[in-house]
Amino acid sequence: AAVHTLVRMKPGDAVKPEWVTGGGGTTLSLGFRALAELGLQFAATVVFTDGYTDWPDEADSVLGEHIAVIMQGSARGAPDFMRVIEVQQ
């Protein structure tokens, strides 16, 4: 597992399809840790996933609101602090 893409966005920015990469082995804790180590304060952290992941046990206040966009998968097991948006295609 690895952090694929870190993108800084502001309101109104669109997500580019090439930013959504991967292919198995999602480990959200690696990405969250990498963000926290930047020493910045985030308004929100958004992850795109199929939901088949090791959901983190607790929220990190430095990362702001935790949002998971579930693409063609399952939000089962998502922790209560994670705001989940399920995209059906």
Side-chain angles (χ1 to χ4, degrees), residues 1 3 25-37 47 53-58 60 63 82:
V3 176
T26 303
T27 305
L28 293 180
S29 58
L30 287 176
F32 287 178
R33 185 176 11 206
L35 288 173
E37 289 173 357
V47 296
T53 182
D54 66 332
W55 296 100
D57 294 326
E58 56 188 41
D60 186 327
L63 303 181
M82 184 75 67

Side-chain angles (χ1 to χ4, degrees), residues 11-45:
D13 286 352
V15 174
K16 296 180 181 178
E18 61 267 22
W19 293 345
V20 183
T21 61
T26 303
T27 305
L28 293 180
S29 58
L30 287 176
F32 287 178
R33 185 176 11 206
L35 288 173
E37 289 173 357
L38 292 174
L40 303 172
Q41 180 69 44
F42 296 89
T45 300

